[in-house]
């Protein structure tokens, strides 16, 4: 697999994640959105959703590249396990978002240090890892 394919797979998996957010928001009855978190950090204007998808796709591409490099060294690395590891490692930074994000409290940005937000992010990371794994076979 090429680096370009790994990056494209990561970007696609991140886009699927963003498109699936309304489902877990409804199921878990919590208004947390990574697309809103990223997009409203970049702009508070009407294009925040587009910006959020763009930043999220770039993040996914970087993750796809990291997964590609790790898999070269450890061929049996699970993309789902790697995505969940990243989630658990970075989740404590949500406290900074809760305190300092310029759009905290707006649509898509409730408190992130919350069990439902953690559950949403967990489901999203599983979905991301699964899609990444399917696209990088």
């Amino acid at each position: 697999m090429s680096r370009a394919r790994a990056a494209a797979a990561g970007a696609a998996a991140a886009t699927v994640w963003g498109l699936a957010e309304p489902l877990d928001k409804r199921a878990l009855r919590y208004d947390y959105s990574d697309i809103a978190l990223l997009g409203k950090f970049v702009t508070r204007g009407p294009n925040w959703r587009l910006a959020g998808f763009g930043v999220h796709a770039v993040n996914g591409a970087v993750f796809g590249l990291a997964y590609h490099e790790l898999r070269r060294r450890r061929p049996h690395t699970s993309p789902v396990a790697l995505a969940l590891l990243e989630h658990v490692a970075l989740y404590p930074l949500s406290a900074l978002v809760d305190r300092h994000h310029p759009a905290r409290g707006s649509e898509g940005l409730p408190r992130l240090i919350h069990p439902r937000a953690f559950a949403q992010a967990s489901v999203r990371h599983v979905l991301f890892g699964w899609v990444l794994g399917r696209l990088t076979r």
Side-chain angles (χ1 to χ4, degrees), residues 32-119:
Y32 164 44
S33 166
D34 286 281
I35 301 303
L37 178 126
L38 296 170
K40 290 180 179 182
F41 187 77
V42 173
T43 180
R44 297 297 306 277
N47 292 323
W48 66 263
R49 191 174 310 278
L50 181 61
F53 268 101
V55 173
H56 204 247
V58 169
N59 289 348
V62 170
F63 190 97
L65 288 170
Y67 171 65
H68 171 76
E69 293 303 320
L70 183 60
R71 202 169 100 181
R72 288 178 56 219
R73 292 167 181 76
R74 302 195 66 165
H76 299 292
T77 300
S78 163
V80 173
L82 189 61
L84 284 171
L85 177 66
E86 184 255 356
H87 164 49
V88 170
L90 295 180
Y91 184 75
L93 295 176
S94 296
L96 295 174
V97 173
D98 284 348
R99 273 188 229 121
H100 302 292
H101 194 287
R104 65 190 178 278
S106 68
E107 176 193 352
L109 287 170
R111 278 188 325 116
L112 300 186
I113 298 296
H114 189 282
R116 289 184 187 184
F118 184 84

Side-chain angles (χ1 to χ4, degrees), residues 13-25:
T15 301
V16 168
W17 161 331
L19 294 172
E21 282 186 353
L23 300 174
D24 70 62
K25 287 170 68 173

